[in-house]
Amino acid sequence: MQEFIAFFTRNEVTNTGIFFLMLGSCFIAIFHTIILSALFRLDFKGWLFFVVDPLLILLAGVLGKHLVMLVFFLLFISVFILAFTGMVYAGVIKSREEKKEREQLRKRYHVAPKPLWKKVAGFVAVALFFVSFYHIGFSAVLLLIIIVPVIAAILPSNKNRFLKYQRTLPTSRIRSVAMGLAEIEGVLEGIAIMRSPIGKKQCIGYRYRIEDISTDKDGDKSYSTIFDEITCNPFYVSDETGKIKVNPEKMEFVYVPEDEMYSSGGKRYTQFLIKENDKMLLIGKAGLAENNQPVFEYEAVKGVFAIAPLDKITHYNTFKPLLNSFLIFSCAFAFMVSLILVTPITIVDGKLNIGTPDFGIDLDFFKAKNTITDAVY
């Protein structure tokens, strides 16, 4: 430390040098002002550091000209120290504000917090990925590309069940629909019209989604959902044979087109509407209400109840076989690429030698572990 101080105090600065260092401290003052106002959110006069920083240089010159360079260096270093601590502080404050905002959204829209098992499952999934990446390297990324779409496609959900059953269930006429799991299609008729959250548009029901916007260093944006809710009033579905009342509790929107979207305050707001005269396909349970009137509602046994635009489902059924073929080909191609990457291939004397794939897993470790286990037992 003494050597450090001696390095900056061994020479005295001339009056001209002090003047130019005072000018240089004005540039440092720009960073001090930006950091303390933007990151630390302090409220002060904009000219404050343009006075304080040069005065510190001048005061050092008055006390001893050999101190001027030391003071200027400390002012310069303070920019980096304040910037680092400011980023940490701003990150902590932003995290608290986002948490508070999420709590307010949950209270406002009566949203239950994320279950503990989902948080634990997410943590375990991330941990497994890093462990896999440590052992097998880049192949873990390829496996992730293969596994995630497959899991997303096979995991049970209201949407997946809806898409599954709509390919097998016959479309029933409303007048002759049988009790139980059924598929119907028709035109929507409102009973009690509501207003959408964006634009106050008349509709039968809406899905309202709020997302956080994150921007990386390249300017690319990513979105994470912090609120997603479907609100819908009871309505009728009618075809040429009759109409049936729909109880929308637990109903999911599938491929309902986006109506409106805007971004503000680091958030993206999106709404999806179903309106009168929309042609829709529904899968759920046909049953009887308390007054013995037919009603279409959530099918608890199969766990399915959803609504989708008829044209979107027709489009989906047309291109689904092509998508399945593409996914199978992509998975097979990714597997072959990963296999080639971990397989040693050499050419010796004009001959192609293909070795055993090396997945980077320490097999000796497992052998040693088994040996120890056998010895114990």
Side-chain angles (χ1 to χ4, degrees):
M1 186 65 180
Q2 292 179 351
E3 294 178 356
F4 172 79
I5 296 175
F7 176 79
F8 285 99
T9 58
R10 67 178 60 175
N11 297 316
E12 293 187 353
V13 180
T14 63
N15 292 334
T16 303
I18 293 175
F19 174 75
F20 281 105
L21 289 177
M22 289 176 66
L23 290 179
S25 67
C26 291
F27 290 97
I28 296 176
I30 296 175
F31 293 100
H32 283 162
T33 302
I34 294 174
I35 292 170
L36 292 176
S37 60
L39 297 181
F40 289 93
R41 303 182 184 182
L42 297 180
D43 186 16
F44 54 87
K45 300 294 183 180
W47 48 261
L48 178 63
F49 286 96
F50 292 92
V51 174
V52 172
D53 288 0
L55 280 179
L56 290 175
I57 300 294
L58 181 61
L59 181 61
V62 173
L63 295 177
K65 293 183 178 181
H66 61 285
L67 299 174
V68 174
M69 283 301 299
L70 177 62
V71 172
F72 182 82
F73 177 77
L74 292 176
L75 287 175
F76 179 77
I77 289 297
S78 68
V79 172
F80 297 94
I81 296 174
L82 287 173
F84 177 76
T85 55
M87 286 187 291
V88 174
Y89 175 79
V92 172
I93 295 299
K94 184 179 180 181
S95 177
R96 290 180 179 177
E97 290 177 347
E98 289 177 349
K99 183 178 180 180
K100 183 178 179 180
E101 185 177 359
R102 288 191 181 95
E103 291 297 328
Q104 291 175 346
L105 285 172
R106 291 192 185 103
K107 291 179 181 179
R108 179 181 177 184
Y109 295 102
H110 308 289
V111 180
K114 182 183 289 187
L116 179 61
W117 70 268
K118 286 189 176 181
K119 296 179 181 179
V120 174
F123 175 79
V124 171
V126 173
L128 286 175
F129 171 75
F130 281 108
V131 170
S132 302
F133 187 82
Y134 175 78
H135 284 289
I136 62 177
F138 183 72
S139 300
V141 179
L142 295 176
L143 289 175
L144 186 68
I145 296 174
I146 297 173
I147 292 173
V148 170
V150 173
I151 293 178
I154 64 177
L155 278 179
S157 68
N158 201 342
K159 178 181 177 180
N160 288 343
R161 295 188 191 99
F162 172 84
L163 294 174
K164 171 187 173 182
Y165 288 125
Q166 64 85 24
R167 293 195 300 269
T168 57
L169 283 174
T171 303
S172 302
R173 298 294 184 181
I174 290 178
R175 176 174 292 180
S176 58
V177 62
M179 297 295 101
L181 181 65
E183 173 183 298
I184 60 173
E185 64 179 49
V187 178
L188 305 188
E189 296 181 14
I191 298 175
I193 300 300
M194 62 171 55
R195 297 282 182 174
S196 66
I198 303 177
K200 303 300 180 184
K201 300 178 181 179
Q202 289 188 346
C203 61
I204 293 173
Y206 61 82
R207 177 187 176 190
Y208 186 47
R209 185 174 65 203
I210 303 175
E211 299 164 292
D212 262 330
I213 303 175
S214 302
T215 306
D216 61 18
K217 61 181 180 180
D218 297 324
D220 297 326
K221 294 182 179 180
S222 59
Y223 305 90
S224 57
T225 302
I226 60 175
F227 176 77
D228 196 346
E229 182 186 51
I230 293 176
T231 302
C232 190
N233 282 337
F235 59 93
Y236 289 110
V237 178
S238 63
D239 62 11
E240 61 273 13
T241 66
K243 65 180 181 180
I244 188 171
K245 185 178 181 180
V246 177
N247 176 11
E249 185 178 357
K250 296 185 179 181
M251 184 178 70
E252 183 169 342
F253 287 11
V254 177
Y255 299 141
V256 174
E258 174 189 302
D259 173 72
E260 198 164 341
M261 179 188 69
Y262 73 94
S263 299
S264 176
K267 301 285 187 296
R268 184 170 72 172
Y269 303 85
T270 311
Q271 73 177 15
F272 308 81
L273 303 183
I274 58 172
K275 298 175 287 188
E276 286 193 299
N277 300 319
D278 284 347
K279 293 183 178 180
M280 294 288 184
L281 182 141
L282 294 88
I283 294 179
K285 184 184 78 171
L288 294 176
E290 294 179 356
N291 56 0
N292 288 327
Q293 293 296 317
V295 65
F296 207 71
E297 57 190 359
Y298 176 72
E299 216 295 335
V301 177
K302 301 294 185 180
V304 60
F305 186 34
I307 184 171
L310 191 56
D311 58 336
K312 298 291 184 181
I313 293 300
T314 302
H315 180 82
Y316 172 83
N317 290 333
T318 301
F319 290 96
K320 178 62 176 175
L322 297 176
L323 179 61
N324 289 340
S325 300
F326 173 76
L327 289 176
I328 293 173
F329 173 79
S330 299
C331 291
F333 180 76
F335 176 76
M336 292 178 63
V337 169
S338 62
L339 194 62
I340 292 172
L341 290 175
V342 299
T343 302
I345 301 175
T346 57
I347 299 177
V348 180
D349 298 330
K351 295 182 179 180
L352 181 65
N353 298 322
I354 301 177
T356 303
D358 181 12
F359 293 99
I361 301 175
D362 190 1
L363 298 178
D364 293 334
F365 169 78
F366 292 101
K367 291 178 180 178
K369 185 176 180 181
N370 292 334
T371 303
I372 294 172
T373 305
D374 294 338
V376 171
Y377 288 99

